[in-house]
Structures are given as structure tokens and as C-alpha cells.
Amino acid sequence: MQLNHKIALVTGGSSGIGKAIARQFANEGATVYITGRRQEVLDDTVREIGENAIGVRTDVSRVVELEALFETIRHRHGRLDVLVANAGGVELARLGEISEEHYERTFTNNVKSVLFSVQLGLPLLVPGASVILTGSATSVTGGEALSVYSATKAAVRNFARSWVQDLKGRQVRVNVLSPGPVRTPALVGLVGNDETLLDGFAQAIPLGRVGEPEEIGRAALFLATDASSFVNGAELFVDGGLAQI
């Protein structure tokens, strides 16, 4: 029970990678707060994970809702040991087709939400706490129709580089967890259940397959525990080697 008696928050924890991380943390003994925008999906996830999960419906792109979330955590538990800023989204748009709305929505969901999730959570983070930001291998590789999304993940990577300096002396670690293509509802929805497109992703990965959410969850567990106690400001790629070649 590597996270026994720990209090964790996973934003965007009601599906996909966030759900896998939340489940992994709960299985290791943590009390896990999870957020999502859709109450029904959030409730289903809490039931599935079990008694260690607490759902708080939150749109993390809205500061007022984040303030309410952290006040709930402060009132109920008074601290955070692990904060996973995972919520975000991806939409495709090629250069020449990028709208102002697409740009603003993507940066709001993927950059603003991370910034204020961590900033507003700071007062609750105890010495030894771990902050994990969900990045992406595309911050290094780029991708067709993914320029805006990739830019947001590059921004997230730089947040970690800067924040470890801002937090010097706080004994709070900040690291980035960067998956490659992972078989999540978001990816499946993006390719329209087209197995040939998933096969195309797999062929570009040295391991020859896309990842599974549980594999990202296990990597997040490493960053959340004392096993990574001297890992700070780093980017851990969980991408089957995609961004390494």
C-alpha cells in the first residue's frame, strides 16, 4: 500500500488516463478526489473505483469552480499529498484551418486549467508532496493537425521547469508524465473507432502497439511515491519509445 493514508487529487479523473491513475492510487491506499464535468460519468467512476474515491464535479477551466474544489478538500482533509493536473482535451485542426475558437479552447483546457489547478492547490500541498502534470509525446514529436495541442503540451512541460525553481525550499516535487498514443475513449473517438488508424499509431511505436491506460497509471504511481523522491522537474515518457527515435 504505497499511498496508504495519502490524500490525492486527479483532475479529469472520470475517464481514460485520469481514471486509470485514480484507480491505481486508490488501490494503493490513497483517498482520491477525482473531477469531471459530467456528473453521471463521475458518479459511475466513483462507484467503480470504490470507497477510496470522492467525486467533485468541476470544470477546471473555471477558476471559481477550482476554488470551490480546493475549499472542499481543505474542509474535509486539510491537505494534499499528490496533485495530478490531468484534465485536458485534444481536437484536430491543420494549419490553415485553425480557428480562434479552437486555439482559445485548447489553451484554456490544457494550459489555463493546469496553471490554476496547481496554483490554487499550493496552500494544501504538504512537504514531500508530488505534483504530476500530464504532458504528451507530441510536445516533442508534433503531429499532423496537432500543432495547437502539441504547443499546449510544450507549455505544460515548461511549467514544470519553472515551477521547481519557484517552489525551491518547499520540498514539493513537480514532474511531467508524457504518454504516447493510449487506447482511451478520447483516442478512439478521435480516430472514429477505425482500427486501421490505431494500427498506424502502433506501427510508429518501437514496441509495436499503443499503450493501455493502466500502464500510464503505474508510471504515475512511481512519480507519486517516495520511489521517485529525488526526481524533480523531469519528464517521464510512457510512449513505447515513440519520442525517443
Side-chain angles (χ1 to χ4, degrees), residues 13 19 22-23 26-27 34 44-53:
K19 182 178 179 178
R23 182 189 292 112
N27 288 345
I34 61 175
D44 288 344
T45 300
V46 168
R47 282 191 293 269
E48 182 179 331
I49 293 175
E51 61 183 4
N52 282 2

Side-chain angles (χ1 to χ4, degrees), residues 188-236:
V188 172
L190 200 64
V191 301
N193 292 304
D194 189 335
E195 287 294 328
T196 61
L197 289 176
L198 289 177
D199 290 342
F201 283 125
Q203 290 172 12
I205 298 171
L207 280 181
R209 63 178 178 84
V210 299
E212 300 297 332
E214 293 74 21
E215 294 177 299
I216 315 304
R218 290 193 291 270
L221 178 65
F222 166 71
L223 292 177
T225 67
D226 288 341
S228 59
S229 58
F230 203 53
V231 179
N232 194 25
E235 183 171 19
L236 175 58

Side-chain angles (χ1 to χ4, degrees), residues 105-119:
R105 183 168 54 250
T106 306
F107 268 84
T108 294
N109 289 336
N110 295 354
V111 180
K112 177 186 175 183
S113 66
V114 171
L115 167 59
F116 288 102
S117 291
V118 177
Q119 180 165 285

